[in-house]
Amino acid sequence: MKSEKPFTFEISLSVLNHLGRSLYRSFATVLGEAISNSWDADAKSVHVSIDRRRNSFIIKDDGDGMTSDDFQNKFLKIGYSKRKEEGTNLSPAGRPFIGRKGIGKLALLSCADKISVISKASGGKYIGGTIDNSALDKAIKRDLTPDQYELGNWRSATFAKYTTAHSHGTIILFEGLKHGIKGSFPFLAKIIALYFRFSLLDPSFNIYLNGEKITHKHLKPLAEKTEFLWEIGDYEDAYVDALKLRFSKNPEDHEKGQAKMGAINGFIASVEKPRHLKILTTDENVGIDLFVNGRLRERDILKRIPTERIAESYLYGQIHFNALDDSEDRFTTSREGIVADDPKYKKFLEAFRKTILKIVEYWDKWRINHREEGDSDNERLSRTQRASLGLYGAVSNQYDLPKASKSRARVTGWVADLSRDATFNFESYADCFVSENLIRRYIKEKRVTLSPKAKAAAKVWKDREKTSKGKGNISIPIRRESTTASYLSMEDLANEVDKRDAAREACLARDANEYKPMRDAVAHTALLTDLAKKKLETVRENIKARVKTILSKPK
């Protein structure tokens, strides 16, 4: 449709080219700019309609709309800022303006060959125009002035389906998308639900994708893989409420905590596996994103403050810090980040990093409690303790009862109670296994002649084994080596390789005597007292030191 008067940009076309079409690369960013404009226009609903066959999409809102004067002197005036020109940070409905510089609208030029914008104020008629990027390219090459490049006419037939019963608002059509429409409906719904939080936090503003309202339910796949949750500040969010509801139903499967950061609100959560943060069909992951007044301002802020802890690859969340939106413009020209050296932003990052470090500590503890791998770089547990816990977790998980079982919670509690003892016993058994077999190898290599006492002790165990095999109807060999030494425990082995008067000298035999009763208890899967554990821990260290000394003797 031809306008009463031609519309033109109020900026040098070459500058427009650099500011608009070169800076914006992300589809989410482009969509975000259009939706943000709808928010600033006090729209109650935004409809995004995808047409894959035609490789196009339409964004329609029911905001205040624009008159011919608004379109020319505000929308096409690059750099027009409502905050500055209208002297307020709030819309007529009281919403905080998202836009600042007045150049975000240029993002619309970056993703499609042709963009048509029409708008209507209440009681008015539609005005607008079409920007054809190929024609704009020619105008730029010819170095035309802004008034020499007129926007093209829009076609009423193209918009007929969307203008019916549309009393006011703006409609934007994107044709010939440069990178096509990637992803399925669930993927696009997830992107919108993740990155346009003001649509979920404010009940007066709703986003629809192909007629379906976007809600926190479109993040259900992510919620189902969420394991732990930390709430930050006084924060209300339907998605977080849904997580807490799931946690309350299955408390043994999840954990939740609280963190405080002053005027900063939000949540941080972790998933069961890093792959659960993958956004399908893309190379991106869900991360911890920073929002200001409900708008995404910085994606994955952990990249600014890496902790180099394993937990980072499991974390996602949303941090809301509205204090960043003040008289100081600290947002980058591309609108995809915040100026890195801004003092307020740097102070925020310092505080946030401290919170993250606390969270990764909790994460490690909670993962261990859930019989899963934690943070191997966390030195609160030794490597052997972590390995023992990992082995216990892998074994004990096989005893988990079905969730429908009435005994599940009780048995899960029993398994959890065994965790501490299992860690110690597994570690002790591993020490026993290694130290005794190393001494056996030493005896074999040194060709140590075993004493009659050792042979007699070995015969007792051989006879017991023979009797047990008979009862069990077992005819296959059990021990890989049937040497005398293979039947001896540390008590007997010690006397063969470190022959001293145990009553007068410190030696392996003395340690073995102290070791035996607790070693036997561990071998019989008994639970040790705390005093016995302390004693066994000391003796184990002594034995390791003495075995290393013995093995280091010249061949």
Side-chain angles (χ1 to χ4, degrees), residues 496-544:
E496 303 302 309
V497 298
D498 196 14
K499 296 178 181 179
R500 302 184 193 181
D501 184 349
R504 296 185 179 184
E505 293 183 83
C507 59
L508 186 59
R510 178 188 287 182
D511 290 323
N513 288 336
E514 295 181 0
Y515 185 56
K516 180 174 172 52
M518 292 170 289
R519 179 259 194 202
D520 290 349
V522 169
H524 286 87
T525 67
L527 305 181
L528 303 186
T529 65
D530 287 342
L531 289 175
K533 286 179 182 178
K534 290 180 181 179
K535 181 67 174 177
L536 180 54
E537 200 167 25
T538 302
V539 176
R540 267 173 34 202
E541 293 303 316
N542 275 342
I543 287 178
K544 276 190 281 190

Side-chain angles (χ1 to χ4, degrees), residues 246-263:
R246 289 182 60 246
F247 287 11
S248 65
K249 290 180 178 178
N250 302 295
E252 75 274 16
D253 292 341
H254 310 282
E255 298 280 359
K256 59 182 179 179
Q258 287 279 348
K260 294 183 179 180
M261 289 186 66

Side-chain angles (χ1 to χ4, degrees), residues 84-117:
K84 182 178 179 181
E85 303 292 341
E86 299 177 18
T88 178
N89 291 332
L90 300 176
S91 70
R95 290 177 179 171
F97 282 138
I98 290 177
R100 292 192 64 101
K101 290 182 170 71
I103 63 172
K105 66 199 73 172
L106 293 177
L108 310 182
L109 303 179
S110 68
C111 71
D113 295 333
K114 185 185 293 185
I115 304 95
S116 297
V117 183

Side-chain angles (χ1 to χ4, degrees), residues 48 68 223-224 274 360 401 423:
V48 181
S68 178
E224 289 176 342
V360 299
L401 298 182
T423 304

Side-chain angles (χ1 to χ4, degrees), residues 246-410:
R246 289 182 60 246
F247 287 11
S248 65
K249 290 180 178 178
N250 302 295
E252 75 274 16
D253 292 341
H254 310 282
E255 298 280 359
K256 59 182 179 179
Q258 287 279 348
K260 294 183 179 180
M261 289 186 66
I264 301 170
N265 300 312
F267 75 94
I268 294 175
S270 68
V271 289
E272 297 168 6
K273 302 287 183 182
R275 67 173 181 269
H276 296 148
L277 293 179
K278 179 76 174 174
I279 300 178
L280 297 180
T281 74
T282 75
D283 296 325
E284 299 180 6
N285 289 335
V286 180
I288 299 178
D289 301 323
L290 176 61
F291 290 74
V292 179
N293 285 330
R295 177 181 173 176
L296 176 65
R297 285 300 190 181
E298 179 102 40
R299 287 204 46 202
D300 191 17
I301 55 177
L302 277 184
K303 68 179 183 292
R304 298 278 197 181
I305 48 166
T307 64
E308 298 183 354
R309 301 289 287 272
I310 290 173
E312 276 190 35
S313 60
Y314 292 77
L315 300 178
Y316 75 96
Q318 296 181 344
I319 305 302
H320 295 257
F321 187 32
N322 296 339
L324 284 177
D325 188 4
D326 53 24
S327 58
E328 184 73 24
D329 186 359
R330 49 181 53 86
F331 305 110
T332 61
T333 303
S334 69
R335 325 312 288 155
E336 294 182 329
I338 301 174
V339 177
D341 60 355
D342 177 77
K344 183 178 282 190
Y345 183 49
K346 288 172 68 175
K347 189 174 181 179
F348 156 76
L349 289 177
E350 290 173 5
F352 184 63
R353 191 173 193 278
K354 292 178 181 178
T355 298
I356 287 294
L357 288 174
K358 291 178 182 177
I359 284 175
V360 299
E361 285 294 318
Y362 275 110
W363 180 86
D364 180 47
K365 294 176 183 177
W366 290 354
R367 289 277 293 188
I368 295 299
N369 289 343
H370 284 241
R371 291 172 280 147
E372 297 170 311
E373 291 184 6
D375 183 355
S376 58
D377 291 333
N378 191 320
E379 296 180 353
R380 70 183 185 87
L381 296 175
S382 68
R383 287 180 60 193
T384 54
Q385 286 175 325
R386 285 195 180 277
S388 298
L389 279 168
L391 177 58
Y392 177 68
V395 172
S396 61
N397 282 339
Q398 300 175 64
Y399 292 88
D400 285 344
L401 298 182
K403 290 190 176 182
S405 172
K406 293 182 179 180
S407 301
R408 176 181 169 87
R410 179 164 50 91

Side-chain angles (χ1 to χ4, degrees), residues 35 46 48 192 196 198-199 205-209 212-214:
I35 294 175
V46 178
V48 181
I192 293 173
F196 308 117
F198 48 84
S199 69
F205 187 76
N206 299 293
I207 300 178
Y208 297 83
L209 179 62
E212 184 174 324
K213 182 179 176 180
I214 301 300

Side-chain angles (χ1 to χ4, degrees), residues 32-49:
E33 289 294 348
I35 294 175
S36 296
N37 288 341
S38 298
W39 167 271
D40 285 350
D42 282 334
K44 294 181 179 178
S45 61
V46 178
H47 291 263
V48 181
S49 300

